[in-house]
Amino acid sequence: MLLGVVLLTLPGGQARAQSTIGLAAVVNDQPISVVDLIDRLNLVATTSNIQLTEDRRREMIPQILHQLIDETLQMQEAKRRGFTVSDADMERAVASVEQNSGMPPGGLERYLQANRIPLESLQDQLRPQIAWQKILGSMRRDIEISESEIDDVLERIKRNQDKPRSNVQEIFLPIDNPQEENKVLDDARKIIGALRNGASFEGLARQFSANASAANGGNLGWMSSGEMDSTLENAVSNMQPGQISMPIRTVRGFYILKLLDRAQGDTNADRDVKLDLYQLFIPIAQNATEDEIRTKVGILQNARSTAQSCEAMANIAVDLGSDLSGRTKGISPQELSGTVANAVSQLKEGQTSNVIRVDGGALVVMLCGKTVQSTLPDRETIRSRLSMDRLEIAARRKLRELRREAFIDIRI
């Protein structure tokens, strides 16, 4: 009966006017109203670009209710531990959502108003997220990552530098109880169905993903080979940019991945090289005689043998009146033409290349300086990532415990 009422009262703006509908669930004597359920469903649909057909509503209601139950348990645990959510906490959370969504300050509230979504609906969702993060923060101090674990990750990344890197988004649905595997798989398939019908991956990740990346719309960023679970890595390797995976089963649950982009591997990808170069250029006319060409090439060869610094090379350019000569700082070898890149690849600081013939003239290039920085993640970044992985496991374990000990009465 109530499910039918919910389906009839979903259009935006009508939910709070119908506040006498009743209860969707009771969690440890704390009610979750059907109005709460309707408001959250509208919020999820709007922020995830989901068209709420009757079938889609029916599919989403159990997922949304499950999420509201978990949030109620999280708030109850936060209260038990003495954690509260202040107005300042809420302002920071809203600002973070705006930043991650590319909105200006105040843009989120205007967006909700334009879509007839009460601001309270968003605050009701953010509040348990903030409280739960405070609980996890208190648990984090018990997590220790050894130096050898960090060494293993760094070595694995180095070993795989020549393999492609992938820019990936994820939605993770945990399996907390083996008996729920089919239900979680069904939820994953429904999410994929919504994505293929135009729903926002970022929006659904924020709403349903159980990993920390949910706060960033499921964005993992650029991942090198060896940084992901091998099952996920194998799946990504067979995907094309823009493609969304089918549900991927791991020991922890089901993943839905989206490959945003892929970059080719490079054996030197662990280093970011920037060059400081001086180019001395002399124009040579297309109809120049052999003697004229030899004369101009000779000028460059003389400069190559006499100039001991980039400043000396610049003085020669002034004397020659060479307007196309000059210094370039902070350029990557990959940005150079193949001929010039090869010519400077073996140079040491203060050395000058052989004469290079190019369209319209000839040139020599002196290496003024070179900086090499590691592109590998630093040890603290790896430590934080490993800590977050363990913290997510501990968080799911704690939530399973709260569910197991709670009295939960679902009314619809």
Side-chain angles (χ1 to χ4, degrees):
M1 174 73 176
L2 277 174
L3 181 58
V5 174
V6 170
L7 292 174
L8 291 172
T9 57
L10 284 171
Q14 296 181 16
R16 292 193 179 273
Q18 302 183 35
S19 58
T20 60
I21 293 175
L23 297 179
V26 177
V27 182
N28 293 329
D29 296 329
Q30 184 171 339
I32 298 173
S33 73
V34 173
V35 171
D36 297 330
L37 179 59
I38 294 169
D39 283 350
R40 179 61 61 84
L41 186 55
N42 285 329
L43 175 66
V44 171
T46 299
T47 57
S48 302
N49 193 32
I50 295 175
Q51 188 67 34
L52 276 178
T53 63
E54 185 172 331
D55 287 342
R56 185 69 68 198
R57 293 167 184 159
R58 188 174 284 107
E59 289 175 355
M60 291 180 64
I61 283 172
Q63 294 172 291
I64 299 295
L65 183 56
H66 180 80
Q67 185 180 33
L68 290 172
I69 290 171
D70 283 350
E71 290 174 3
T72 302
L73 291 170
Q74 289 168 339
M75 287 301 297
Q76 291 173 351
E77 178 66 9
K79 182 178 180 180
R80 188 185 71 80
R81 293 180 179 229
F83 292 112
T84 59
V85 178
S86 67
D87 291 343
D89 291 331
M90 187 64 68
E91 289 173 3
R92 283 191 294 269
V94 170
S96 178
V97 173
E98 288 175 335
Q99 183 178 8
N100 291 332
S101 302
M103 292 182 175
L108 184 56
E109 184 172 358
R110 290 192 294 272
Y111 171 79
L112 294 175
Q113 288 176 346
N115 287 277
R116 302 171 67 193
I117 302 294
L119 179 61
E120 293 86 348
S121 295
L122 176 67
Q123 293 173 334
D124 289 345
Q125 183 183 45
L126 292 177
R127 191 170 290 106
Q129 292 178 8
I130 298 167
W132 191 241
Q133 287 303 313
K134 292 186 177 185
I135 294 174
L136 298 187
S138 69
M139 298 167 61
R140 188 165 190 164
R141 59 175 174 263
D142 298 325
I143 296 175
E144 295 184 0
I145 304 297
S146 69
E147 295 301 316
S148 62
E149 289 178 277
I150 298 174
D151 291 338
D152 288 344
V153 173
L154 279 171
E155 182 57 35
R156 191 162 60 247
I157 294 173
K158 291 178 183 178
R159 196 168 54 243
N160 292 301
Q161 284 296 317
D162 59 335
K163 297 179 181 178
R165 296 181 301 125
S166 302
N167 191 0
V168 182
Q169 287 177 293
E170 67 170 358
I171 295 174
F172 174 62
L173 305 178
I175 297 176
D176 297 323
N177 184 332
Q179 296 178 343
E180 296 180 349
E181 177 169 350
N182 288 337
K183 177 186 178 300
V184 177
L185 176 58
D186 187 53
D187 288 344
R189 287 170 173 161
K190 290 173 181 176
I191 289 174
I192 291 172
L195 291 170
R196 289 179 175 168
N197 283 319
S200 162
F201 196 102
E202 292 82 356
L204 290 178
R206 288 192 181 97
Q207 299 294 339
F208 296 117
S209 183
N211 275 353
S213 63
N216 297 320
N219 195 351
L220 295 173
W222 285 97
M223 304 292 288
S224 299
S225 182
E227 288 190 89
M228 299 178 68
D229 178 281
S230 59
T231 303
L232 302 179
E233 197 167 288
N234 290 337
V236 169
S237 67
N238 292 313
M239 294 170 63
Q240 298 300 317
Q243 184 178 350
I244 296 171
S245 74
M246 295 299 291
I248 304 167
R249 180 68 161 95
T250 70
V251 295
R252 297 165 58 193
F254 285 101
Y255 282 83
I256 301 167
L257 301 180
K258 181 177 182 179
L259 177 61
L260 299 176
D261 199 1
R262 178 178 285 126
Q264 293 303 312
D266 180 357
T267 54
N268 295 317
D270 59 338
R271 298 179 299 150
D272 182 22
V273 179
K274 298 295 184 184
L275 304 177
D276 179 2
L277 304 174
Y278 193 94
Q279 168 186 290
L280 179 62
F281 176 85
I282 291 183
I284 299 176
Q286 193 170 12
N287 59 354
T289 66
E290 288 297 323
D291 286 343
E292 290 173 332
I293 293 173
R294 277 195 295 271
T295 298
K296 294 199 172 185
V297 168
I299 293 172
L300 289 174
Q301 289 173 334
N302 183 61
R304 178 176 180 271
S305 61
T306 58
Q308 300 299 310
S309 68
C310 287
E311 288 73 17
M313 193 70 79
N315 290 333
I316 293 173
V318 172
D319 292 340
L320 293 174
S322 177
D323 294 335
L324 295 179
S325 298
R327 189 164 180 170
T328 302
K329 296 183 178 182
I331 190 169
S332 167
Q334 288 75 27
E335 297 177 79
L336 301 172
S337 69
T339 304
V340 175
N342 290 334
V344 303
S345 62
Q346 300 302 318
L347 295 181
K348 295 181 180 179
E349 187 171 338
Q351 290 184 335
T352 305
S353 71
N354 292 321
V355 176
I356 306 168
R357 286 299 307 271
V358 295
D359 289 342
L363 57 86
V364 291
V365 179
M366 175 177 277
L367 178 63
C368 309
K370 178 195 292 187
T371 59
V372 181
Q373 295 181 327
S374 173
T375 60
L376 296 174
D378 60 47
R379 299 183 72 84
E380 285 309 307
T381 297
I382 294 174
R383 188 189 309 278
S384 177
R385 188 179 298 166
L386 293 174
S387 296
M388 187 59 67
D389 288 343
R390 293 193 187 170
L391 190 60
E392 288 171 352
I393 294 172
R396 286 193 289 276
R397 187 182 302 122
K398 181 62 181 177
L399 195 53
R400 284 199 303 268
E401 176 187 313
L402 293 176
R403 290 193 201 108
R404 188 171 57 249
E405 295 177 354
F407 170 78
I408 301 173
D409 180 17
I410 296 176
R411 301 287 182 89
I412 62 172

